Amino acid sequence: MDDVVVIGGGIIGTSTAYFLAKEGRKVKVIERDPTYKNASFPLSLGGFRRQFFQKENILLGKFAREFILNISETLKTKKNPSPTASMVANGYLLMFGPEHAEEQYKALENHKACDAGTKNIKGTELTKYFPYINSDGIETATFTDNKTEGWIDPFMFHAALKSKAIELGAEFIKGEVKSLNEINAKTIVSAAGCWTKELLKDIPVVPQKHTVFRVKCPKHIPEMPLTGDLTTGVYWRPEGKEYLAGSPISVFDANDLEPAWNDFEELVWPALAKRIPAFEELKLTGGWAGYYDCNKLDNNAVVGKHPKYKNVYMASGFTGRGLMQAPGIGRALTELITTGSYQSIDISAFSVERVLNSEVRHEPYVL
Ligand SMILES: Cc1cc2nc3c(=O)[nH]c(=O)nc-3n(C[C@H](O)[C@H](O)[C@H](O)COP(=O)(O)OP(=O)(O)OC[C@H]3O[C@@H](n4cnc5c(N)ncnc54)[C@H](O)[C@@H]3O)c2cc1C
């Protein structure tokens, strides 16, 4: 009998393997596609932030930054002596119209309670801080300028975690698990991302296709934060000398990962040009689509022991924030498995029971 089997070697499975191996557990990770062609994490924007509504999401975002900041030491291995996640700590800027302002003021109380270090300004003050932005229709905006939010290279981060997990004794195996009954282990962790339902039919996590565009603009604004315009749902950030911009339109039950190219001209470009006049001159240079692991109940993660099994734990449903939550979730699951309860950040609000009982606890800030 194996000690721990993790199903899915994406960012959540690999982080969990790392934290469990650090505690001396013998971990086997089973991954059906070690190239990760369709896995969510390499197709993500790499963003990490603390600007959420729910306190647990704020605290997990804070831990992500702390963890990533230290990986040159903590994830150092013989094979990878200088691990990096290529962090760009430009911050986040989220802008809200009058229809979302009240909700954001409530969220700010949670930011304060969690010591998130965010700053809030009136829409009319935006150009003082971000002179390239047109503030029309923005009631309030929140941002950080203290290097606590930004983005990373998801693949490099995954590679660093994997290398360390392996050095600590974890084993990564190519294989597809068709049913949990196939596994003979003391502890099973399902980290199957948006495919969780294939193994756990009662979990309402489904693939939700999102498109990201790559664009070139003659005006380069390298200091720009990852910016979300909640009046349109469009978000963007610099990527080298170009920019990445996400479409707010998503599709459930998509058969393929072909980007929704029409969204660019019809929706994304007009929204970008309205908010940043320099973006009127844009050239589309590429794009891709990937799946969010969407928790259809309330956009929150589903993490913990599955009550219908003796030895099955799971983590999924991150709905656009699984990369940044991976360090906190790997640590939390390890605490739960090894001690029976959460020791650092209490994420019992994400329990499987809550989701099975359809107790909604909505996280509104999905980008
Ligand atoms: C366009 C886009 C932008 C995003 N932007 C961000 C962002 O800025 N910040 C952020 O934090 N998050 C972001 N995300 C979300 C993030 O990528 C996901 O939440 C995260 O990758 C989920 O991690 P995971 O390990 O659960 O899933 P995955 O990364 O999908 O990994 C799951 C793995 O499990 C394997 N697997 C599944 N079933 C089986 C099975 N039965 N047997 C064996 N292997 C199996 C799969 O092959 C896969 O490799 C974004 C996602 C997309 C698509």
Side-chain angles (χ1 to χ4, degrees), residues 216-278:
K216 214 180 198 150
C217 174
K219 188 159 169 55
H220 184 44
I221 309 172
E223 73 280 10
M224 192 187 279
L226 198 157
T227 308
D229 181 348
L230 279 288
T231 68
T232 58
V234 175
Y235 58 98
W236 60 92
R237 68 161 173 85
E239 169 77 348
K241 290 263 160 73
E242 299 192 322
Y243 300 87
L244 299 176
S247 171
I249 304 276
S250 60
V251 183
F252 290 112
D253 304 319
N255 293 326
D256 58 51
L257 278 178
E258 178 64 15
W261 295 111
N262 288 343
D263 287 0
F264 182 69
E265 212 179 321
E266 286 168 14
L267 184 76
V268 175
W269 193 1
L272 289 170
K274 181 186 165 205
R275 197 53 71 206
I276 306 220

Side-chain angles (χ1 to χ4, degrees), residues 33-47:
D33 176 17
T35 70
Y36 299 110
K37 189 158 94 27
N38 292 335
S40 299
F41 79 87
L43 300 171
S44 90
L45 245 74

